[in-house]
Amino acid sequence: MKITKVNTYFVRPRWGFVEIETDAGFTGWGEAVLEGHAKAVLACVEEMSDYLIGADPANIEDIWTTLYRAGFYRGGGVMMSAISGIDQALWDIKGKVFGAPVYQLLGGKCRDKMKIYCWVGGDRPSDVGAAALEKKNEGFSAIKMNATEELQMVDTYDKLDAVLERVAAIRETCGKYFGIAIDFHGRVHKPMAKVLAKKLEEFDPMFIEEPVLCENMEDFRDIAAACNIPIATGERLFSKFDFKRLLTAGGVDIIQPDLSHAGGITEVKKIAAMAEAYDVALAPHCPLGPIALAACLNVDALSYNAVIQEQSIGIHYNVGKSVLDYVNNKEDFRFIDGCVQLPVKPGIGVDVNRDLVLEENKTPHNWKNPVWRHADGSIAEW
């Protein structure tokens, strides 16, 4: 069997899909995107297709290594996201050839279902108490929210108090044991991160996310010493080598590699195993589409240290189209009691609505993240 064609598609709200065709009639789908840089990633996929045409899609490890190592320059968000989408599509083909979900080809499942959480509150969080209660009433046991709006390196305490009030509202409406994940989103710098993390202790959060950016990963130990809350990070890391530095630096309790940014199933399975050796949990990042989510669930199925899965149904970014719009087998993605079943269809587990993908690609999106500024006019982290 040989690869005959590589197709790329822009689909709303902000995603990119890859379709790999073979001469045996098998087709695989992947999700290759770096939010805000979809054009660059899909162009990179097209550039990499020179290595793919004529190759045997069964040789996933060799293709992955060729794309990563043979180009001399390696790593980074764009190239690794391109590899991620290609890798997902190759595993989708392999699963379809053998008539089994991908996780069955990689050792089989170690769990029957996966706990998930929902986003509430939007970029500028508000009304989180009512929104969290709504999700609890729908059967979810955990949510995630952005902690704060813009925050300068050293800022005023009224902004921190506003965070505490929002978290308190969730704890009051949803009870003591409801899971609250608080995403600092890299908007908080070390001087304020230590203060905010310490103040949040009284609410027993499930975790705090990206209290500082991973480019300052040496600070995680200091923040961990300042509070007794699990720290999660990793969505802006792109390879096992990035995560090696993170795990060695210490201070992190949960890693969050993105299956569409960090090398796909092939690489994240290795990253998950590395984290297990450090007694660090796995919670894959996934504010993306159905193919990325299904790829995450396949790795979750395999990974003993997987604890909870992000998903983007209802997330504030999804304008115009949402996750299940592109899925024909919607019943496989039903959420029951805050959990989702593992993929059941051969391959990654998504029967893609190809007609809608083709229609969306006629008018490619150009999603960009907001550009925020502080009151003094300087750029703020979004």
mmCIF file with all atom_site columns, all heavy atoms in Angstrom, residues 116-121 131-132 135 138 140-145 178-179 181 308-315 335 338:
data_model
loop_
_atom_site.group_PDB
_atom_site.id
_atom_site.type_symbol
_atom_site.label_atom_id
_atom_site.label_alt_id
_atom_site.label_comp_id
_atom_site.label_asym_id
_atom_site.label_entity_id
_atom_site.label_seq_id
_atom_site.pdbx_PDB_ins_code
_atom_site.Cartn_x
_atom_site.Cartn_y
_atom_site.Cartn_z
_atom_site.occupancy
_atom_site.B_iso_or_equiv
_atom_site.pdbx_formal_charge
_atom_site.auth_seq_id
_atom_site.auth_comp_id
_atom_site.auth_asym_id
_atom_site.auth_atom_id
_atom_site.pdbx_PDB_model_num
ATOM 1   N N   . ILE A 1 116 ? -14.033 13.861 31.644 1.00 0.00 ? 116 ILE A N   1
ATOM 2   C CA  . ILE A 1 116 ? -13.818 15.073 30.863 1.00 0.00 ? 116 ILE A CA  1
ATOM 3   C C   . ILE A 1 116 ? -14.249 16.296 31.677 1.00 0.00 ? 116 ILE A C   1
ATOM 4   O O   . ILE A 1 116 ? -14.920 16.178 32.691 1.00 0.00 ? 116 ILE A O   1
ATOM 5   C CB  . ILE A 1 116 ? -14.602 15.039 29.530 1.00 0.00 ? 116 ILE A CB  1
ATOM 6   C CG1 . ILE A 1 116 ? -16.082 14.818 29.800 1.00 0.00 ? 116 ILE A CG1 1
ATOM 7   C CG2 . ILE A 1 116 ? -14.046 13.979 28.589 1.00 0.00 ? 116 ILE A CG2 1
ATOM 8   C CD1 . ILE A 1 116 ? -16.940 14.912 28.573 1.00 0.00 ? 116 ILE A CD1 1
ATOM 9   N N   . TYR A 1 117 ? -13.843 17.473 31.186 1.00 0.00 ? 117 TYR A N   1
ATOM 10  C CA  . TYR A 1 117 ? -14.326 18.708 31.790 1.00 0.00 ? 117 TYR A CA  1
ATOM 11  C C   . TYR A 1 117 ? -14.766 19.684 30.715 1.00 0.00 ? 117 TYR A C   1
ATOM 12  O O   . TYR A 1 117 ? -14.435 19.520 29.534 1.00 0.00 ? 117 TYR A O   1
ATOM 13  C CB  . TYR A 1 117 ? -13.287 19.337 32.727 1.00 0.00 ? 117 TYR A CB  1
ATOM 14  C CG  . TYR A 1 117 ? -11.994 19.807 32.084 1.00 0.00 ? 117 TYR A CG  1
ATOM 15  C CD1 . TYR A 1 117 ? -11.926 21.040 31.427 1.00 0.00 ? 117 TYR A CD1 1
ATOM 16  C CD2 . TYR A 1 117 ? -10.827 19.056 32.175 1.00 0.00 ? 117 TYR A CD2 1
ATOM 17  C CE1 . TYR A 1 117 ? -10.735 21.492 30.872 1.00 0.00 ? 117 TYR A CE1 1
ATOM 18  C CE2 . TYR A 1 117 ? -9.636  19.490 31.626 1.00 0.00 ? 117 TYR A CE2 1
ATOM 19  C CZ  . TYR A 1 117 ? -9.592  20.721 30.985 1.00 0.00 ? 117 TYR A CZ  1
ATOM 20  O OH  . TYR A 1 117 ? -8.416  21.155 30.438 1.00 0.00 ? 117 TYR A OH  1
ATOM 21  N N   . CYS A 1 118 ? -15.505 20.703 31.134 1.00 0.00 ? 118 CYS A N   1
ATOM 22  C CA  . CYS A 1 118 ? -16.016 21.739 30.234 1.00 0.00 ? 118 CYS A CA  1
ATOM 23  C C   . CYS A 1 118 ? -15.420 23.092 30.618 1.00 0.00 ? 118 CYS A C   1
ATOM 24  O O   . CYS A 1 118 ? -15.083 23.331 31.771 1.00 0.00 ? 118 CYS A O   1
ATOM 25  C CB  . CYS A 1 118 ? -17.541 21.845 30.330 1.00 0.00 ? 118 CYS A CB  1
ATOM 26  S SG  . CYS A 1 118 ? -18.422 20.429 29.695 1.00 0.00 ? 118 CYS A SG  1
ATOM 27  N N   . TRP A 1 119 ? -15.349 23.979 29.636 1.00 0.00 ? 119 TRP A N   1
ATOM 28  C CA  . TRP A 1 119 ? -14.950 25.365 29.867 1.00 0.00 ? 119 TRP A CA  1
ATOM 29  C C   . TRP A 1 119 ? -16.157 26.195 30.275 1.00 0.00 ? 119 TRP A C   1
ATOM 30  O O   . TRP A 1 119 ? -17.264 26.004 29.759 1.00 0.00 ? 119 TRP A O   1
ATOM 31  C CB  . TRP A 1 119 ? -14.372 25.959 28.583 1.00 0.00 ? 119 TRP A CB  1
ATOM 32  C CG  . TRP A 1 119 ? -12.891 25.809 28.457 1.00 0.00 ? 119 TRP A CG  1
ATOM 33  C CD1 . TRP A 1 119 ? -12.213 24.768 27.880 1.00 0.00 ? 119 TRP A CD1 1
ATOM 34  C CD2 . TRP A 1 119 ? -11.899 26.737 28.902 1.00 0.00 ? 119 TRP A CD2 1
ATOM 35  N NE1 . TRP A 1 119 ? -10.862 24.990 27.943 1.00 0.00 ? 119 TRP A NE1 1
ATOM 36  C CE2 . TRP A 1 119 ? -10.643 26.203 28.562 1.00 0.00 ? 119 TRP A CE2 1
ATOM 37  C CE3 . TRP A 1 119 ? -11.960 27.967 29.554 1.00 0.00 ? 119 TRP A CE3 1
ATOM 38  C CZ2 . TRP A 1 119 ? -9.450  26.852 28.849 1.00 0.00 ? 119 TRP A CZ2 1
ATOM 39  C CZ3 . TRP A 1 119 ? -10.765 28.621 29.835 1.00 0.00 ? 119 TRP A CZ3 1
ATOM 40  C CH2 . TRP A 1 119 ? -9.523  28.064 29.493 1.00 0.00 ? 119 TRP A CH2 1
ATOM 41  N N   . VAL A 1 120 ? -15.938 27.183 31.145 1.00 0.00 ? 120 VAL A N   1
ATOM 42  C CA  . VAL A 1 120 ? -16.969 28.175 31.474 1.00 0.00 ? 120 VAL A CA  1
ATOM 43  C C   . VAL A 1 120 ? -16.313 29.551 31.560 1.00 0.00 ? 120 VAL A C   1
ATOM 44  O O   . VAL A 1 120 ? -15.118 29.662 31.846 1.00 0.00 ? 120 VAL A O   1
ATOM 45  C CB  . VAL A 1 120 ? -17.686 27.864 32.808 1.00 0.00 ? 120 VAL A CB  1
ATOM 46  C CG1 . VAL A 1 120 ? -18.421 26.541 32.740 1.00 0.00 ? 120 VAL A CG1 1
ATOM 47  C CG2 . VAL A 1 120 ? -16.733 27.897 33.996 1.00 0.00 ? 120 VAL A CG2 1
ATOM 48  N N   . GLY A 1 121 ? -17.091 30.582 31.298 1.00 0.00 ? 121 GLY A N   1
ATOM 49  C CA  . GLY A 1 121 ? -16.662 31.939 31.624 1.00 0.00 ? 121 GLY A CA  1
ATOM 50  C C   . GLY A 1 121 ? -16.027 32.759 30.531 1.00 0.00 ? 121 GLY A C   1
ATOM 51  O O   . GLY A 1 121 ? -15.988 33.972 30.622 1.00 0.00 ? 121 GLY A O   1
ATOM 52  N N   . ALA A 1 131 ? -22.691 29.278 35.460 1.00 0.00 ? 131 ALA A N   1
ATOM 53  C CA  . ALA A 1 131 ? -22.293 28.402 34.355 1.00 0.00 ? 131 ALA A CA  1
ATOM 54  C C   . ALA A 1 131 ? -21.790 27.055 34.875 1.00 0.00 ? 131 ALA A C   1
ATOM 55  O O   . ALA A 1 131 ? -22.088 26.005 34.296 1.00 0.00 ? 131 ALA A O   1
ATOM 56  C CB  . ALA A 1 131 ? -21.218 29.082 33.512 1.00 0.00 ? 131 ALA A CB  1
ATOM 57  N N   . ALA A 1 132 ? -21.027 27.070 35.955 1.00 0.00 ? 132 ALA A N   1
ATOM 58  C CA  . ALA A 1 132 ? -20.520 25.821 36.525 1.00 0.00 ? 132 ALA A CA  1
ATOM 59  C C   . ALA A 1 132 ? -21.662 24.972 37.067 1.00 0.00 ? 132 ALA A C   1
ATOM 60  O O   . ALA A 1 132 ? -21.665 23.741 36.898 1.00 0.00 ? 132 ALA A O   1
ATOM 61  C CB  . ALA A 1 132 ? -19.508 26.123 37.624 1.00 0.00 ? 132 ALA A CB  1
ATOM 62  N N   . LYS A 1 135 ? -23.320 23.115 34.309 1.00 0.00 ? 135 LYS A N   1
ATOM 63  C CA  . LYS A 1 135 ? -22.558 21.938 33.888 1.00 0.00 ? 135 LYS A CA  1
ATOM 64  C C   . LYS A 1 135 ? -22.680 20.813 34.910 1.00 0.00 ? 135 LYS A C   1
ATOM 65  O O   . LYS A 1 135 ? -22.778 19.632 34.542 1.00 0.00 ? 135 LYS A O   1
ATOM 66  C CB  . LYS A 1 135 ? -21.092 22.309 33.664 1.00 0.00 ? 135 LYS A CB  1
ATOM 67  C CG  . LYS A 1 135 ? -20.866 23.283 32.525 1.00 0.00 ? 135 LYS A CG  1
ATOM 68  C CD  . LYS A 1 135 ? -21.411 22.744 31.220 1.00 0.00 ? 135 LYS A CD  1
ATOM 69  C CE  . LYS A 1 135 ? -21.215 23.718 30.070 1.00 0.00 ? 135 LYS A CE  1
ATOM 70  N NZ  . LYS A 1 135 ? -21.843 23.222 28.816 1.00 0.00 ? 135 LYS A NZ  1
ATOM 71  N N   . GLU A 1 138 ? -25.771 19.016 34.384 1.00 0.00 ? 138 GLU A N   1
ATOM 72  C CA  . GLU A 1 138 ? -25.718 18.181 33.183 1.00 0.00 ? 138 GLU A CA  1
ATOM 73  C C   . GLU A 1 138 ? -24.946 16.891 33.423 1.00 0.00 ? 138 GLU A C   1
ATOM 74  O O   . GLU A 1 138 ? -24.856 16.050 32.520 1.00 0.00 ? 138 GLU A O   1
ATOM 75  C CB  . GLU A 1 138 ? -25.078 18.953 32.027 1.00 0.00 ? 138 GLU A CB  1
ATOM 76  C CG  . GLU A 1 138 ? -25.931 20.109 31.507 1.00 0.00 ? 138 GLU A CG  1
ATOM 77  C CD  . GLU A 1 138 ? -25.205 20.923 30.453 1.00 0.00 ? 138 GLU A CD  1
ATOM 78  O OE1 . GLU A 1 138 ? -24.096 20.502 30.016 1.00 0.00 ? 138 GLU A OE1 1
ATOM 79  O OE2 . GLU A 1 138 ? -25.716 21.987 30.049 1.00 0.00 ? 138 GLU A OE2 1
ATOM 80  N N   . PHE A 1 140 ? -21.609 16.785 34.724 1.00 0.00 ? 140 PHE A N   1
ATOM 81  C CA  . PHE A 1 140 ? -20.160 16.948 34.784 1.00 0.00 ? 140 PHE A CA  1
ATOM 82  C C   . PHE A 1 140 ? -19.712 17.119 36.230 1.00 0.00 ? 140 PHE A C   1
ATOM 83  O O   . PHE A 1 140 ? -20.420 17.701 37.051 1.00 0.00 ? 140 PHE A O   1
ATOM 84  C CB  . PHE A 1 140 ? -19.717 18.157 33.955 1.00 0.00 ? 140 PHE A CB  1
ATOM 85  C CG  . PHE A 1 140 ? -19.961 17.985 32.486 1.00 0.00 ? 140 PHE A CG  1
ATOM 86  C CD1 . PHE A 1 140 ? -21.100 18.489 31.888 1.00 0.00 ? 140 PHE A CD1 1
ATOM 87  C CD2 . PHE A 1 140 ? -19.050 17.298 31.703 1.00 0.00 ? 140 PHE A CD2 1
ATOM 88  C CE1 . PHE A 1 140 ? -21.338 18.321 30.529 1.00 0.00 ? 140 PHE A CE1 1
ATOM 89  C CE2 . PHE A 1 140 ? -19.266 17.124 30.347 1.00 0.00 ? 140 PHE A CE2 1
ATOM 90  C CZ  . PHE A 1 140 ? -20.414 17.633 29.757 1.00 0.00 ? 140 PHE A CZ  1
ATOM 91  N N   . SER A 1 141 ? -18.503 16.643 36.517 1.00 0.00 ? 141 SER A N   1
ATOM 92  C CA  . SER A 1 141 ? -17.959 16.762 37.862 1.00 0.00 ? 141 SER A CA  1
ATOM 93  C C   . SER A 1 141 ? -16.801 17.746 37.930 1.00 0.00 ? 141 SER A C   1
ATOM 94  O O   . SER A 1 141 ? -16.187 17.912 38.989 1.00 0.00 ? 141 SER A O   1
ATOM 95  C CB  . SER A 1 141 ? -17.486 15.390 38.369 1.00 0.00 ? 141 SER A CB  1
ATOM 96  O OG  . SER A 1 141 ? -16.496 14.855 37.509 1.00 0.00 ? 141 SER A OG  1
ATOM 97  N N   . ALA A 1 142 ? -16.488 18.414 36.790 1.00 0.00 ? 142 ALA A N   1
ATOM 98  C CA  . ALA A 1 142 ? -15.373 19.355 36.778 1.00 0.00 ? 142 ALA A CA  1
ATOM 99  C C   . ALA A 1 142 ? -15.538 20.352 35.630 1.00 0.00 ? 142 ALA A C   1
ATOM 100 O O   . ALA A 1 142 ? -16.086 20.025 34.578 1.00 0.00 ? 142 ALA A O   1
ATOM 101 C CB  . ALA A 1 142 ? -14.041 18.622 36.635 1.00 0.00 ? 142 ALA A CB  1
ATOM 102 N N   . ILE A 1 143 ? -15.040 21.569 35.875 1.00 0.00 ? 143 ILE A N   1
ATOM 103 C CA  . ILE A 1 143 ? -14.990 22.601 34.832 1.00 0.00 ? 143 ILE A CA  1
ATOM 104 C C   . ILE A 1 143 ? -13.612 23.255 34.857 1.00 0.00 ? 143 ILE A C   1
ATOM 105 O O   . ILE A 1 143 ? -12.826 23.050 35.791 1.00 0.00 ? 143 ILE A O   1
ATOM 106 C CB  . ILE A 1 143 ? -16.087 23.683 35.022 1.00 0.00 ? 143 ILE A CB  1
ATOM 107 C CG1 . ILE A 1 143 ? -15.982 24.344 36.423 1.00 0.00 ? 143 ILE A CG1 1
ATOM 108 C CG2 . ILE A 1 143 ? -17.473 23.099 34.810 1.00 0.00 ? 143 ILE A CG2 1
ATOM 109 C CD1 . ILE A 1 143 ? -15.042 25.521 36.543 1.00 0.00 ? 143 ILE A CD1 1
ATOM 110 N N   . LYS A 1 144 ? -13.346 24.056 33.807 1.00 0.00 ? 144 LYS A N   1
ATOM 111 C CA  . LYS A 1 144 ? -12.143 24.894 33.816 1.00 0.00 ? 144 LYS A CA  1
ATOM 112 C C   . LYS A 1 144 ? -12.539 26.311 33.446 1.00 0.00 ? 144 LYS A C   1
ATOM 113 O O   . LYS A 1 144 ? -13.439 26.524 32.637 1.00 0.00 ? 144 LYS A O   1
ATOM 114 C CB  . LYS A 1 144 ? -11.083 24.366 32.853 1.00 0.00 ? 144 LYS A CB  1
ATOM 115 C CG  . LYS A 1 144 ? -9.756  25.136 32.945 1.00 0.00 ? 144 LYS A CG  1
ATOM 116 C CD  . LYS A 1 144 ? -8.600  24.390 32.292 1.00 0.00 ? 144 LYS A CD  1
ATOM 117 C CE  . LYS A 1 144 ? -8.571  24.542 30.791 1.00 0.00 ? 144 LYS A CE  1
ATOM 118 N NZ  . LYS A 1 144 ? -7.380  23.883 30.196 1.00 0.00 ? 144 LYS A NZ  1
ATOM 119 N N   . MET A 1 145 ? -11.844 27.274 34.032 1.00 0.00 ? 145 MET A N   1
ATOM 120 C CA  . MET A 1 145 ? -12.112 28.681 33.767 1.00 0.00 ? 145 MET A CA  1
ATOM 121 C C   . MET A 1 145 ? -10.793 29.433 33.650 1.00 0.00 ? 145 MET A C   1
ATOM 122 O O   . MET A 1 145 ? -9.771  29.030 34.218 1.00 0.00 ? 145 MET A O   1
ATOM 123 C CB  . MET A 1 145 ? -12.910 29.301 34.923 1.00 0.00 ? 145 MET A CB  1
ATOM 124 C CG  . MET A 1 145 ? -12.219 29.170 36.271 1.00 0.00 ? 145 MET A CG  1
ATOM 125 S SD  . MET A 1 145 ? -13.014 30.049 37.636 1.00 0.00 ? 145 MET A SD  1
ATOM 126 C CE  . MET A 1 145 ? -12.483 31.733 37.299 1.00 0.00 ? 145 MET A CE  1
ATOM 127 N N   . PHE A 1 178 ? -16.648 19.554 43.940 1.00 0.00 ? 178 PHE A N   1
ATOM 128 C CA  . PHE A 1 178 ? -16.725 19.770 42.494 1.00 0.00 ? 178 PHE A CA  1
ATOM 129 C C   . PHE A 1 178 ? -15.357 20.234 41.996 1.00 0.00 ? 178 PHE A C   1
ATOM 130 O O   . PHE A 1 178 ? -14.689 21.060 42.618 1.00 0.00 ? 178 PHE A O   1
ATOM 131 C CB  . PHE A 1 178 ? -17.784 20.833 42.200 1.00 0.00 ? 178 PHE A CB  1
ATOM 132 C CG  . PHE A 1 178 ? -18.071 21.030 40.731 1.00 0.00 ? 178 PHE A CG  1
ATOM 133 C CD1 . PHE A 1 178 ? -18.812 20.092 40.029 1.00 0.00 ? 178 PHE A CD1 1
ATOM 134 C CD2 . PHE A 1 178 ? -17.608 22.153 40.063 1.00 0.00 ? 178 PHE A CD2 1
ATOM 135 C CE1 . PHE A 1 178 ? -19.080 20.276 38.678 1.00 0.00 ? 178 PHE A CE1 1
ATOM 136 C CE2 . PHE A 1 178 ? -17.876 22.345 38.720 1.00 0.00 ? 178 PHE A CE2 1
ATOM 137 C CZ  . PHE A 1 178 ? -18.613 21.404 38.024 1.00 0.00 ? 178 PHE A CZ  1
ATOM 138 N N   . GLY A 1 179 ? -14.904 19.689 40.859 1.00 0.00 ? 179 GLY A N   1
ATOM 139 C CA  . GLY A 1 179 ? -13.578 19.998 40.338 1.00 0.00 ? 179 GLY A CA  1
ATOM 140 C C   . GLY A 1 179 ? -13.503 21.362 39.682 1.00 0.00 ? 179 GLY A C   1
ATOM 141 O O   . GLY A 1 179 ? -14.280 21.656 38.773 1.00 0.00 ? 179 GLY A O   1
ATOM 142 N N   . ALA A 1 181 ? -10.738 23.702 37.763 1.00 0.00 ? 181 ALA A N   1
ATOM 143 C CA  . ALA A 1 181 ? -9.410  23.953 37.187 1.00 0.00 ? 181 ALA A CA  1
ATOM 144 C C   . ALA A 1 181 ? -9.325  25.430 36.823 1.00 0.00 ? 181 ALA A C   1
ATOM 145 O O   . ALA A 1 181 ? -10.253 25.983 36.241 1.00 0.00 ? 181 ALA A O   1
ATOM 146 C CB  . ALA A 1 181 ? -9.191  23.084 35.952 1.00 0.00 ? 181 ALA A CB  1
ATOM 147 N N   . ILE A 1 308 ? -7.798  13.252 33.238 1.00 0.00 ? 308 ILE A N   1
ATOM 148 C CA  . ILE A 1 308 ? -8.979  13.991 32.782 1.00 0.00 ? 308 ILE A CA  1
ATOM 149 C C   . ILE A 1 308 ? -8.678  14.543 31.396 1.00 0.00 ? 308 ILE A C   1
ATOM 150 O O   . ILE A 1 308 ? -7.514  14.775 31.050 1.00 0.00 ? 308 ILE A O   1
ATOM 151 C CB  . ILE A 1 308 ? -9.352  15.125 33.763 1.00 0.00 ? 308 ILE A CB  1
ATOM 152 C CG1 . ILE A 1 308 ? -10.797 15.592 33.532 1.00 0.00 ? 308 ILE A CG1 1
ATOM 153 C CG2 . ILE A 1 308 ? -8.358  16.273 33.709 1.00 0.00 ? 308 ILE A CG2 1
ATOM 154 C CD1 . ILE A 1 308 ? -11.361 16.436 34.683 1.00 0.00 ? 308 ILE A CD1 1
ATOM 155 N N   . GLN A 1 309 ? -9.733  14.731 30.597 1.00 0.00 ? 309 GLN A N   1
ATOM 156 C CA  . GLN A 1 309 ? -9.553  15.148 29.213 1.00 0.00 ? 309 GLN A CA  1
ATOM 157 C C   . GLN A 1 309 ? -10.305 16.454 28.933 1.00 0.00 ? 309 GLN A C   1
ATOM 158 O O   . GLN A 1 309 ? -11.492 16.564 29.205 1.00 0.00 ? 309 GLN A O   1
ATOM 159 C CB  . GLN A 1 309 ? -10.056 14.061 28.248 1.00 0.00 ? 309 GLN A CB  1
ATOM 160 C CG  . GLN A 1 309 ? -9.947  14.422 26.784 1.00 0.00 ? 309 GLN A CG  1
ATOM 161 C CD  . GLN A 1 309 ? -8.513  14.723 26.380 1.00 0.00 ? 309 GLN A CD  1
ATOM 162 O OE1 . GLN A 1 309 ? -7.616  13.899 26.563 1.00 0.00 ? 309 GLN A OE1 1
ATOM 163 N NE2 . GLN A 1 309 ? -8.289  15.918 25.844 1.00 0.00 ? 309 GLN A NE2 1
ATOM 164 N N   . GLU A 1 310 ? -9.588  17.414 28.383 1.00 0.00 ? 310 GLU A N   1
ATOM 165 C CA  . GLU A 1 310 ? -10.223 18.648 27.898 1.00 0.00 ? 310 GLU A CA  1
ATOM 166 C C   . GLU A 1 310 ? -10.967 18.370 26.607 1.00 0.00 ? 310 GLU A C   1
ATOM 167 O O   . GLU A 1 310 ? -10.565 17.525 25.811 1.00 0.00 ? 310 GLU A O   1
ATOM 168 C CB  . GLU A 1 310 ? -9.150  19.710 27.658 1.00 0.00 ? 310 GLU A CB  1
ATOM 169 C CG  . GLU A 1 310 ? -9.686  21.044 27.179 1.00 0.00 ? 310 GLU A CG  1
ATOM 170 C CD  . GLU A 1 310 ? -8.611  22.106 27.055 1.00 0.00 ? 310 GLU A CD  1
ATOM 171 O OE1 . GLU A 1 310 ? -7.432  21.736 26.833 1.00 0.00 ? 310 GLU A OE1 1
ATOM 172 O OE2 . GLU A 1 310 ? -8.932  23.298 27.187 1.00 0.00 ? 310 GLU A OE2 1
ATOM 173 N N   . GLN A 1 311 ? -12.056 19.091 26.380 1.00 0.00 ? 311 GLN A N   1
ATOM 174 C CA  . GLN A 1 311 ? -12.778 19.020 25.109 1.00 0.00 ? 311 GLN A CA  1
ATOM 175 C C   . GLN A 1 311 ? -13.461 20.367 24.876 1.00 0.00 ? 311 GLN A C   1
ATOM 176 O O   . GLN A 1 311 ? -13.667 21.133 25.819 1.00 0.00 ? 311 GLN A O   1
ATOM 177 C CB  . GLN A 1 311 ? -13.782 17.867 25.100 1.00 0.00 ? 311 GLN A CB  1
ATOM 178 C CG  . GLN A 1 311 ? -14.769 17.857 26.242 1.00 0.00 ? 311 GLN A CG  1
ATOM 179 C CD  . GLN A 1 311 ? -15.930 18.787 26.063 1.00 0.00 ? 311 GLN A CD  1
ATOM 180 O OE1 . GLN A 1 311 ? -16.375 18.998 24.937 1.00 0.00 ? 311 GLN A OE1 1
ATOM 181 N NE2 . GLN A 1 311 ? -16.434 19.364 27.146 1.00 0.00 ? 311 GLN A NE2 1
ATOM 182 N N   . SER A 1 312 ? -13.793 20.677 23.623 1.00 0.00 ? 312 SER A N   1
ATOM 183 C CA  . SER A 1 312 ? -14.184 22.047 23.313 1.00 0.00 ? 312 SER A CA  1
ATOM 184 C C   . SER A 1 312 ? -15.644 22.226 22.927 1.00 0.00 ? 312 SER A C   1
ATOM 185 O O   . SER A 1 312 ? -16.009 23.269 22.385 1.00 0.00 ? 312 SER A O   1
ATOM 186 C CB  . SER A 1 312 ? -13.291 22.599 22.187 1.00 0.00 ? 312 SER A CB  1
ATOM 187 O OG  . SER A 1 312 ? -13.662 22.075 20.930 1.00 0.00 ? 312 SER A OG  1
ATOM 188 N N   . ILE A 1 313 ? -16.485 21.235 23.203 1.00 0.00 ? 313 ILE A N   1
ATOM 189 C CA  . ILE A 1 313 ? -17.902 21.430 22.911 1.00 0.00 ? 313 ILE A CA  1
ATOM 190 C C   . ILE A 1 313 ? -18.434 22.528 23.830 1.00 0.00 ? 313 ILE A C   1
ATOM 191 O O   . ILE A 1 313 ? -18.337 22.441 25.043 1.00 0.00 ? 313 ILE A O   1
ATOM 192 C CB  . ILE A 1 313 ? -18.689 20.127 23.092 1.00 0.00 ? 313 ILE A CB  1
ATOM 193 C CG1 . ILE A 1 313 ? -18.248 19.111 22.035 1.00 0.00 ? 313 ILE A CG1 1
ATOM 194 C CG2 . ILE A 1 313 ? -20.193 20.370 22.999 1.00 0.00 ? 313 ILE A CG2 1
ATOM 195 C CD1 . ILE A 1 313 ? -18.864 17.743 22.184 1.00 0.00 ? 313 ILE A CD1 1
ATOM 196 N N   . GLY A 1 314 ? -18.948 23.599 23.231 1.00 0.00 ? 314 GLY A N   1
ATOM 197 C CA  . GLY A 1 314 ? -19.464 24.726 23.991 1.00 0.00 ? 314 GLY A CA  1
ATOM 198 C C   . GLY A 1 314 ? -18.434 25.760 24.379 1.00 0.00 ? 314 GLY A C   1
ATOM 199 O O   . GLY A 1 314 ? -18.773 26.760 25.023 1.00 0.00 ? 314 GLY A O   1
ATOM 200 N N   . ILE A 1 315 ? -17.178 25.592 23.983 1.00 0.00 ? 315 ILE A N   1
ATOM 201 C CA  . ILE A 1 315 ? -16.145 26.551 24.345 1.00 0.00 ? 315 ILE A CA  1
ATOM 202 C C   . ILE A 1 315 ? -16.377 27.878 23.627 1.00 0.00 ? 315 ILE A C   1
ATOM 203 O O   . ILE A 1 315 ? -16.964 27.918 22.537 1.00 0.00 ? 315 ILE A O   1
ATOM 204 C CB  . ILE A 1 315 ? -14.747 25.971 24.031 1.00 0.00 ? 315 ILE A CB  1
ATOM 205 C CG1 . ILE A 1 315 ? -13.660 26.667 24.848 1.00 0.00 ? 315 ILE A CG1 1
ATOM 206 C CG2 . ILE A 1 315 ? -14.435 26.066 22.548 1.00 0.00 ? 315 ILE A CG2 1
ATOM 207 C CD1 . ILE A 1 315 ? -12.297 25.991 24.746 1.00 0.00 ? 315 ILE A CD1 1
ATOM 208 N N   . PHE A 1 335 ? -21.623 12.400 26.176 1.00 0.00 ? 335 PHE A N   1
ATOM 209 C CA  . PHE A 1 335 ? -21.082 12.550 27.519 1.00 0.00 ? 335 PHE A CA  1
ATOM 210 C C   . PHE A 1 335 ? -22.110 12.027 28.520 1.00 0.00 ? 335 PHE A C   1
ATOM 211 O O   . PHE A 1 335 ? -23.252 12.485 28.550 1.00 0.00 ? 335 PHE A O   1
ATOM 212 C CB  . PHE A 1 335 ? -20.782 14.015 27.820 1.00 0.00 ? 335 PHE A CB  1
ATOM 213 C CG  . PHE A 1 335 ? -19.773 14.635 26.885 1.00 0.00 ? 335 PHE A CG  1
ATOM 214 C CD1 . PHE A 1 335 ? -19.759 16.001 26.666 1.00 0.00 ? 335 PHE A CD1 1
ATOM 215 C CD2 . PHE A 1 335 ? -18.834 13.863 26.235 1.00 0.00 ? 335 PHE A CD2 1
ATOM 216 C CE1 . PHE A 1 335 ? -18.835 16.580 25.825 1.00 0.00 ? 335 PHE A CE1 1
ATOM 217 C CE2 . PHE A 1 335 ? -17.897 14.421 25.378 1.00 0.00 ? 335 PHE A CE2 1
ATOM 218 C CZ  . PHE A 1 335 ? -17.905 15.798 25.173 1.00 0.00 ? 335 PHE A CZ  1
ATOM 219 N N   . GLY A 1 338 ? -20.350 12.954 33.068 1.00 0.00 ? 338 GLY A N   1
ATOM 220 C CA  . GLY A 1 338 ? -19.055 13.604 33.022 1.00 0.00 ? 338 GLY A CA  1
ATOM 221 C C   . GLY A 1 338 ? -17.950 12.777 32.411 1.00 0.00 ? 338 GLY A C   1
ATOM 222 O O   . GLY A 1 338 ? -16.762 13.100 32.582 1.00 0.00 ? 338 GLY A O   1
#
